[in-house]
Amino acid sequence: MLSLLGFGTILVILLLLFTQRVAAIIALAGVPLVAAFVAGNSPSEVAAFVKSGLGGVVGVATMFLFAIVFFGIMRDAGLFDPVVRRIVRLAGNAPPTVAVATTGLAVVAHLDGAGATTFLIAVPAMLPIYDRLGMSRLVLATCVGLGAGVMNVVPWGGPTARAAATVGVDANELWVPLIPAQIAGVVFALAVAYYLGRRERTRLAKVAAGDASAVVEESTARVGERIAVGSGSPAPVPPSAGNGDAPDGTELDSPAPNDAPASGDPDLLRPKLLWVNAALVLVTLGALVAAVAPPEMCFLIASILALLINYRGMKAQQARVEAHAVGAMLMVGTLLAAGVLLGVLDGSGMIEAMAVSAANVVPDGVTPALPLIVGVLAVPMSLIFGPDAYYFGVLPVLIEVGDQFGISATHLAQASILGEETVGFPISPMTGAFYLLVGLASVDIGKHIRHMIGWAWLVSIGMLGVAMLTGVIPVWVS
């Protein structure tokens, strides 16, 4: 009975999250509370479950709150603007270079762990270059998505924070052992971008030679129209593109540099404090890696210093906090609601009953490879499970199943965050940032998913391979 109630609770939550009928907070906190009372628990018992669950996620929620504020302040102050402008300038007009620069820009822009911010910076910055060269916007969306995806493993990113809340450890403990795999993921993403750029250069050469079959809807390149491409030969572009063309119609060797700040308000920029802010970011990240203090304390101190250094006076500081409060509080509220879910499932005994039932179904010969299986399937699971649904609904069950066979919860969480809503989030219809990406790039949702899923899966499996080679994730648990 308890097992069925537990699975029913998870199913209802997943359905509510999938159909987006209610806010995530309502689904994550309201449904388990109802289930707890249906199971016959008294109000005082349910209150104890909730208190225990909230206690397990308060550290992660605090870290996420101050991480959002800190990186938001750094972005407002213009810390990332010189890097963005340099990458755009270095992109030139050769498709392979442009594609690699696109992924590199997404990697840098995603240092704050916010997918929406990354897409708002990277896509508008690179789209004029893609249209000018006639490159496919599907390649743009894929290159940006890969760069953002591999960086989404950072502890202040949503998936790792959620996984840490579920497992009950600091996000830092999950992330630090995966740093080699994440670095490898950046390299893999850049390699894929280079390949896609070379493929685009070949396609554009075919269009220039009059091959109509090489024309794609997502590209401005058409047979009989010309543009300068960095292969030494002209390729097509419509005159209407108007990005980088001289008034007399002659071809330019490179796009005009975009000197507009990536930050929103020029009055907020602090160019004289660039190196001070850069040092503050490096020290903060160093403290996280070295585990000098808990992550929430690191970002709390960093946020205080960022406000004091860049914006003087209560009004200016309050304005910066309020500017980033909405996004931060939505995530914090979700994490706290997830704490209610986890506390109820654990305290009521539902999760244990569910695990026993699930363990009876899983073949004994397959279970020792559960971390490997989870890692391999992580990217395609992003199409089905959003971050809340997976990390707060599916992962707890997987952890309890693994516990029946001596598999570490940390291993399952780390295997998950190498793909599920990290590398996989730019193809996940379950996340709002996904729709922002396809909207900004003006590409069809289905085409984008088909174009990117294979490359995202390949990068994720490559990261999983590195994690296994470095001993972080076991191939087989005996």
Side-chain angles (χ1 to χ4, degrees):
M1 173 61 184
L2 203 56
S3 173
L4 289 176
L5 184 58
F7 280 116
T9 300
I10 297 298
L11 179 61
V12 171
I13 291 174
L14 293 180
L15 287 175
L16 289 175
L17 292 176
F18 284 167
T19 58
Q20 299 180 329
R21 293 184 180 277
V22 297
I25 292 176
I26 297 175
L28 291 170
V31 175
L33 286 175
V34 172
F37 287 117
V38 171
N41 296 287
S42 67
S44 60
E45 289 174 327
V46 175
F49 301 158
V50 171
K51 183 177 180 180
S52 174
L54 291 176
V57 300
V58 66
V60 176
T62 304
M63 179 209 70
F64 204 94
L65 171 65
F66 288 108
I68 291 283
V69 172
F70 173 64
F71 283 110
I73 294 169
M74 292 295 100
R75 187 172 63 252
D76 292 339
L79 174 62
F80 306 121
D81 290 357
V83 180
V84 171
R85 287 196 294 265
R86 179 65 60 87
I87 290 176
V88 172
R89 286 195 186 102
L90 291 178
N93 59 357
T97 307
V98 171
V100 170
T102 301
T103 299
L105 175 57
V107 168
V108 174
H110 204 73
L111 282 172
D112 66 352
T117 300
T118 302
F119 300 151
L120 286 168
I121 291 175
V123 176
M126 301 304 295
L127 185 58
I129 302 175
Y130 276 72
D131 283 346
R132 177 180 178 273
L133 298 182
M135 293 177 65
S136 171
R137 293 188 301 276
L138 286 172
V139 174
L140 168 62
T142 295
C143 289
V144 171
L146 289 176
V150 295
M151 287 302 291
N152 210 34
V153 179
V154 293
W156 50 90
T160 303
R162 289 175 172 90
T166 298
V167 177
V169 299
D170 283 342
N172 216 31
E173 293 184 31
L174 298 179
W175 174 60
V176 172
L178 291 175
I179 289 178
Q182 186 177 17
I183 293 173
V186 172
V187 175
F188 296 152
L190 292 172
V192 169
Y194 180 75
Y195 172 78
L196 293 176
R198 287 180 59 89
R199 196 170 68 175
E200 274 299 281
R201 184 167 61 187
T202 301
R203 184 186 67 80
L204 290 172
K206 291 180 179 180
V207 175
D211 185 355
S213 65
V215 175
V216 296
E217 180 183 350
E218 295 77 22
S219 166
T220 58
R222 296 293 182 268
V223 173
E225 298 173 341
R226 301 171 64 82
I227 189 174
V229 176
S231 59
S233 61
V237 72
S240 60
N243 295 303
D245 292 340
D248 60 358
T250 57
E251 296 161 354
L252 301 179
D253 292 332
S254 60
N258 180 9
D259 290 326
S263 307
D265 188 350
D267 293 335
L268 300 175
L269 299 179
R270 298 294 185 267
K272 295 182 180 180
L273 298 173
L274 176 67
W275 293 110
V276 176
N277 287 327
L280 180 58
V281 170
L282 291 176
V283 170
T284 302
L285 295 179
L288 281 173
V289 174
V292 174
E296 57 268 27
M297 181 177 291
C298 291
F299 281 116
L300 169 60
I301 295 174
S303 298
I304 293 173
L305 291 176
L307 286 169
L308 290 174
I309 292 171
N310 291 279
Y311 304 103
R312 304 295 175 85
M314 185 189 72
K315 289 185 178 180
Q317 294 166 356
Q318 187 69 24
R320 291 302 87 221
V321 172
E322 291 177 355
H324 305 289
V326 175
M329 290 309 299
L330 283 175
M331 183 59 193
V332 169
T334 301
L335 286 171
L336 294 176
V340 175
L341 167 65
L342 297 173
V344 169
L345 290 178
D346 183 54
S348 65
M350 291 185 202
I351 196 71
E352 184 178 355
M354 293 164 62
V356 171
S357 299
N360 292 332
V361 177
V362 178
D364 292 347
V366 174
T367 307
L370 190 57
L372 175 61
I373 295 172
V374 169
V376 170
L377 297 178
V379 165
M381 283 195 295
S382 297
L383 294 171
I384 305 172
F385 299 109
D388 294 331
Y390 179 83
Y391 288 102
F392 299 141
V394 177
L395 183 58
V397 176
L398 291 175
I399 288 173
E400 291 300 328
V401 170
D403 187 59
Q404 302 293 319
F405 298 89
I407 298 174
S408 169
T410 298
H411 290 154
L412 290 170
Q414 289 172 323
S416 298
I417 62 178
L418 288 177
E420 166 62 39
E421 293 298 340
T422 51
V423 183
F425 96 90
I427 60 167
S428 174
M430 310 309 298
T431 62
F434 163 81
Y435 297 99
L436 182 62
L437 173 61
V438 296
L440 288 171
S442 299
V443 295
D444 178 74
I445 289 176
K447 287 184 178 180
H448 167 67
I449 292 176
R450 290 193 296 272
H451 187 273
M452 183 178 174
I453 186 170
W455 300 116
W457 202 353
L458 181 63
V459 170
S460 175
I461 291 176
M463 295 170 67
L464 178 64
V466 173
M468 290 188 296
L469 288 175
T470 54
V472 178
I473 297 175
V475 179
W476 192 267
V477 179
S478 57

